[in-house]
């Protein structure tokens, strides 16, 4: 997962976009699937981002010194690929999950009929209400081409019938 700071060129609204990869961002940008969540402008691009700078050396956890083998050569210290998730990230994701849960509580699950239901609502064939469900990339692209707003949820959602 990669996070980019994005900005709409029309109004200067800044927001984050979460993508599976840089290629996913480029693909969505090229297909016109990105728009500003504040004003709806499709004139969106990457904003200048601060580099990801690590903490000061004196703030990092202490690691064991490498052991020396019998020849006096230092062996490399073992490296763990399971770094702890910083508390501030856990807090942000928790707040995002609560906000999404609140939105979904007032939204109707429509499953794989999302594109059809979104069209019905958009064209006045069904009562206007918030819905959520699943749609393929192609279905979302078609909705966007028709001027129908369809945004991905920031966190995965389990269908109601699959919950314990």
């Amino acid at each position: 997962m990669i996070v980019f700071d994005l900005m709409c060129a029309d109004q200067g609204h800044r927001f984050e976009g979460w993508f599976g990869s840089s290629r996913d961002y480029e693909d969505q940008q090229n297909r016109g699937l990105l728009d500003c969540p504040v004003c709806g402008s499709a004139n969106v691009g990457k904003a200048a981002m601060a580099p990801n700078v690590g903490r000061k050396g004196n703030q990092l956890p202490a690691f064991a010194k490498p052991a020396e083998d019998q020849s006096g050569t230092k062996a490399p210290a073992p490296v763990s690929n399971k770094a702890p998730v910083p508390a501030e990230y856990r807090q942000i994701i928790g707040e995002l999950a609560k906000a999404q849960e609140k939105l979904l509580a007032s939204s109707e699950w429509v499953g794989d009929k999302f594109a059809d239901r979104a069209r019905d609502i958009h064209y006045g064939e069904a009562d206007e209400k918030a819905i959520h469900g699943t749609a393929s990339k192609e279905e979302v692209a078609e909705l966007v081409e028709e001027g129908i707003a369809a945004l991905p949820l920031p966190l995965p959602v389990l269908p109601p019938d699959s919950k314990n």
Side-chain angles (χ1 to χ4, degrees):
M1 188 65 73
I2 188 167
V3 180
F4 289 126
D5 286 339
L6 303 176
M7 184 169 74
C8 79
D10 296 336
Q11 301 292 323
H13 300 123
R14 290 182 68 104
F15 55 97
E16 282 187 351
W18 293 44
F19 302 92
S21 66
S22 294
R23 177 175 271 155
D24 286 345
Y25 163 79
E26 292 167 7
D27 180 53
Q28 290 182 33
Q29 179 73 6
N30 292 337
R31 293 182 6 200
L33 297 178
L34 301 179
D35 58 0
C36 176
V38 178
C39 67
S41 169
N43 193 4
V44 172
K46 288 183 188 176
M49 295 175 56
N52 185 6
V53 179
R55 297 179 184 183
K56 292 181 181 178
N58 64 357
Q59 293 179 341
L60 294 174
F63 292 101
K65 292 183 179 178
E68 290 186 15
D69 65 16
Q70 291 182 356
S71 69
T73 306
K74 291 186 178 183
V79 176
S80 170
N81 63 353
K82 294 186 178 183
V85 177
E88 56 267 15
Y89 290 163
R90 286 194 309 271
Q91 180 184 355
I92 290 169
I93 296 298
E95 290 172 6
L96 184 59
K98 286 178 188 175
Q100 180 171 301
E101 185 177 353
K102 184 177 177 183
L103 287 171
L104 293 179
S106 60
S107 176
E108 178 186 341
W109 170 258
V110 295
D112 61 359
K113 303 291 184 211
F114 179 81
D116 294 333
R117 295 291 301 277
R119 282 189 183 89
D120 291 346
I121 293 169
H122 180 77
Y123 294 115
E125 298 169 5
D127 292 337
E128 189 164 327
K129 63 175 138 182
I131 60 171
H132 64 282
T134 59
S136 68
K137 289 181 182 182
E138 293 79 18
E139 289 173 319
V140 173
E142 290 169 3
L143 290 173
V144 170
E145 286 176 14
E146 292 178 48
I148 302 170
L151 298 173
L153 292 170
L155 300 173
V157 174
L158 287 174
D161 58 348
S162 69
K163 294 181 182 178
N164 290 339

